[in-house]
Amino acid sequence: MFNKETYVQRREELKHLVKEGIILFFGNNEAPCNFPANGYYPFRQDSSFLYYFGLNRDGLVGVIDIDNNQETLIGDDISIDDIVWYGTVDSVHEMAEQAGVKNSAPMDQLKTICQKALAEKRKIHFLPPYRYDIKLQIFDLLGIHPNQQGEEASLDLIHAVVTQRSTKSHEEIEELERAAVIGYQMHTTAMRLTRPGVTEKFVGGQVTGVAESYGAMVSFPTIYSQHGETMHGNPSMNKLESGRLVLCDAGAETINNYCSDNTRTYPVNGEFTQRQLEIYSIVEACHDYTIKIAKPGVKWMDVHFAICKLMTERLKELGLMKGDTDAAVKAGAHAMFLPHGLGHMMGMDVHDMESLGQTYVGFDEETRPNLKQFGTNCLRMGRRLKEGFVVTDEPGIYFIPALIDDWKASGHCKEFINFDKLETYKDFGGIRIEDDVLITKDGCRFLGKKRIPYHPKDIETFMAENAKA
């Protein structure tokens, strides 16, 4: 936890933004892995509950009564049976004091609070639930069917939470820097272990282990695969092969659950081929161009399309694309190679606040997502940047055989893509380079004091000097 004053101030600002009614923040419960007593480990608290209360225990609900200026932490104390197995923990009353909350009550009081508010026709605010046990709890408390709870969630609360959580405070940035340190250890571990004959599963498991040994957990399941063209390729039992590229996308959460998210792509044998370098240099240039143009007041959507145009120009030089660059990007031809957005917001969630609705997190009244065009429909972020935002910078080029066949058969964007040349890249895989970017007063900077090697010569030197037998 941060200092309790941090959580008191956050809740005070929230009350000012939402203005009236009662706010319910549902913490998460233990989630069973394959039977109730065998839970997924480690326990992961709901991020918005953590943001406003900072308490990392299951079975809690935070109640903020704006009209009566009263806050209550709801939850049942741990029984003696659980203490025998898991040890003594603080009481709910003690945890409330730690978060600067004056009142506490057992869980059976929550229904009484909700029934009273409903009888008085007061607005009850809650965020869109994403776990089914919480959906059932809301159904029991408020009578709203789980299928309707997404629509019934409070827009006032969503907008307020997005407003607060989007801009990172100094202490949050420090925590994100700690996550970056763990991320560096994860990725350099992968580079040291990568060599022909080792399985993807082994390296991926070692990377995940680094996160759990230095922090709370991974910020998302580790991606480590020779099939870099698969966006979320889980590590397989396949052995690494000389001459191929491997893509590692991995991140950590600190003990306070702030995230890192980095991607590196490198040759299994430690040396790039000329063809690999040609594609890699384009992704490298796009990655670095982001740092030059991203700053407060600039729309992230404009940064994304600037990268798309740069990528298109460079792919034209290799003969993979053709025609007018602006027309090609407008038609979405670049999405053959980059079918996702340049990046997303990041913080306590690796895709920060995504459960609140990407339209509210990554966009606003000025910028709206284009859900009709392939590739562009995957932009998670488009709004104007502000000082204190943290976004990922993750351009990539992917050669996806099924997508190549699909577009070639339909003739989609044939005036901009050289399909004959593209056929020769079906065995290439994919390349992505990703770092976490803090928007500063005048521009932006990467998070993390030490750069995970990503320039080709730096990668080759690091892998040669640090290879593990």
Side-chain angles (χ1 to χ4, degrees):
M1 291 181 69
F2 296 130
N3 190 290
K4 73 177 180 180
E5 279 70 30
T6 293
Y7 304 102
V8 171
Q9 291 170 6
R10 287 172 176 176
R11 294 193 300 269
E12 284 300 315
E13 182 180 351
L14 180 68
K15 285 185 273 190
H16 175 74
L17 291 170
V18 179
K19 294 184 173 58
E20 62 180 1
I22 291 180
I23 301 172
L24 304 180
F25 280 109
F26 292 89
N28 283 336
N29 300 310
E30 285 282 8
C33 179
N34 54 348
F35 56 89
N38 189 21
Y40 277 106
Y41 183 81
F43 168 74
R44 181 51 160 92
Q45 184 63 281
D46 175 77
S47 294
S48 289
F49 182 90
L50 274 175
Y51 185 83
Y52 291 103
F53 294 90
L55 300 167
N56 202 14
R57 203 209 85 175
D58 61 303
L60 300 174
V61 179
V63 179
I64 302 174
D65 186 334
I66 302 172
D67 305 321
N68 296 306
N69 196 27
Q70 181 172 312
E71 300 172 347
T72 306
L73 181 66
I74 304 288
D76 294 328
D77 288 331
I78 299 300
S79 69
I80 190 64
D81 291 333
D82 282 337
I83 289 173
V84 168
W85 288 100
Y86 301 110
T88 301
V89 298
D90 294 331
S91 68
V92 174
H93 175 71
E94 290 168 331
M95 288 189 292
E97 288 185 336
Q98 293 164 14
V101 177
K102 292 183 179 179
N103 306 295
S104 62
M107 187 58 71
D108 61 11
Q109 291 299 303
L110 182 57
K111 190 158 191 175
T112 300
I113 292 171
C114 291
Q115 288 177 337
K116 185 173 185 293
L118 289 171
E120 295 171 350
K121 300 189 183 307
R122 298 172 64 196
K123 175 66 175 177
I124 300 179
H125 305 270
F126 62 89
L127 296 173
Y130 52 90
R131 288 193 173 185
Y132 284 96
D133 54 336
I134 302 300
K135 291 183 178 183
L136 291 174
Q137 188 176 12
I138 293 173
F139 185 38
D140 181 55
L141 292 169
L142 306 179
I144 303 171
H145 192 278
N147 291 342
Q148 299 173 324
Q149 289 170 13
E151 296 176 1
E152 293 293 328
S154 169
L155 279 178
D156 289 336
L157 182 58
I158 290 171
H159 289 308
V161 172
V162 170
T163 295
Q164 287 186 264
R165 286 183 58 188
S166 292
T167 302
K168 307 303 186 283
S169 67
H170 177 71
E171 60 188 349
E172 288 181 286
I173 293 168
E174 288 183 336
E175 200 66 30
L176 288 163
E177 291 283 11
R178 294 186 187 100
V181 171
I182 305 173
Y184 177 88
Q185 295 291 340
M186 294 169 73
H187 280 273
T188 52
T189 294
M191 286 184 174
R192 286 195 296 270
L193 294 174
T194 295
R195 65 183 185 276
V198 177
T199 65
E200 295 175 2
K201 193 77 170 176
F202 175 79
V203 180
Q206 297 296 309
V207 170
T208 295
V210 171
E212 295 189 358
S213 61
Y214 285 98
M217 58 189 293
V218 291
S219 53
F220 57 95
T222 297
I223 298 165
Y224 183 88
S225 175
Q226 294 172 104
H227 284 283
E229 76 278 9
T230 303
M231 301 299 122
H232 291 168
N234 293 324
S236 72
M237 290 302 295
N238 294 332
K239 291 183 178 180
L240 300 179
E241 300 174 13
S242 183
R244 297 186 67 176
L245 294 169
V246 67
L247 184 151
C248 181
D249 188 345
E253 286 193 14
T254 66
I255 294 299
N256 286 320
N257 300 106
Y258 282 81
C259 299
S260 70
D261 183 6
N262 302 94
T263 306
R264 293 294 186 265
T265 311
Y266 35 87
V268 169
N269 63 14
E271 295 183 3
F272 287 97
T273 66
Q274 182 58 35
R275 187 170 78 146
Q276 289 168 351
L277 278 173
E278 289 172 350
I279 301 299
Y280 191 97
S281 67
I282 301 175
V283 181
E284 178 188 19
C286 292
H287 170 273
D288 291 352
Y289 189 47
T290 299
I291 289 294
K292 294 181 180 180
I293 62 176
K295 61 183 179 180
V298 172
K299 288 190 289 188
W300 186 249
M301 185 177 288
D302 291 342
V303 180
H304 168 82
F305 284 115
I307 297 306
C308 295
K309 291 177 182 179
L310 173 59
M311 183 178 293
T312 299
E313 283 290 330
R314 294 287 298 272
L315 287 169
K316 284 165 59 178
E317 293 173 7
L318 292 180
L320 286 164
M321 295 189 72
K322 58 187 178 181
D324 180 75
T325 295
D326 289 343
V329 171
K330 184 176 181 180
H334 63 279
M336 164 60 73
F337 306 93
L338 178 62
H340 60 75
L342 178 62
H344 50 79
M345 296 277 253
M346 197 189 73
M348 296 185 82
D349 304 313
V350 69
H351 290 169
D352 214 18
M353 301 172 281
E354 192 170 74
S355 64
L356 305 187
Q358 207 59 49
T359 301
Y360 307 118
V361 177
F363 298 88
D364 52 22
E365 293 302 320
E366 180 187 17
T367 57
R368 309 304 292 173
N370 179 353
L371 301 178
K372 296 181 179 180
Q373 187 181 73
F374 177 79
T376 308
N377 63 342
C378 289
L379 266 66
R380 290 189 169 99
M381 174 74 175
R383 60 190 289 200
R384 289 189 188 275
L385 300 169
K386 293 182 180 180
E387 182 181 358
F389 280 17
V390 174
V391 295
T392 60
D393 168 22
E394 50 179 309
I397 292 178
Y398 314 91
F399 297 92
I400 307 169
L403 185 63
I404 294 170
D405 291 343
D406 182 70
W407 283 29
K408 184 177 181 179
S410 67
H412 183 61
C413 288
K414 63 182 180 181
E415 63 270 39
F416 303 115
I417 297 174
N418 185 343
F419 284 103
D420 290 338
K421 183 72 174 286
L422 192 54
E423 282 284 336
T424 67
Y425 280 79
K426 279 185 173 181
D427 64 344
F428 186 94
I431 294 171
R432 180 164 67 252
I433 307 173
E434 177 182 15
D435 282 301
D436 306 325
V437 174
L438 170 67
I439 306 302
T440 61
K441 181 179 180 181
D442 301 313
C444 63
R445 68 171 178 84
F446 290 129
L447 289 171
K449 295 180 177 64
K450 297 172 82 172
R451 285 269 65 69
I452 305 164
Y454 74 93
H455 297 303
K457 286 297 181 184
D458 294 338
I459 288 174
E460 292 179 338
T461 299
F462 182 91
M463 293 183 73
E465 293 178 351
N466 294 275
K468 287 196 173 183

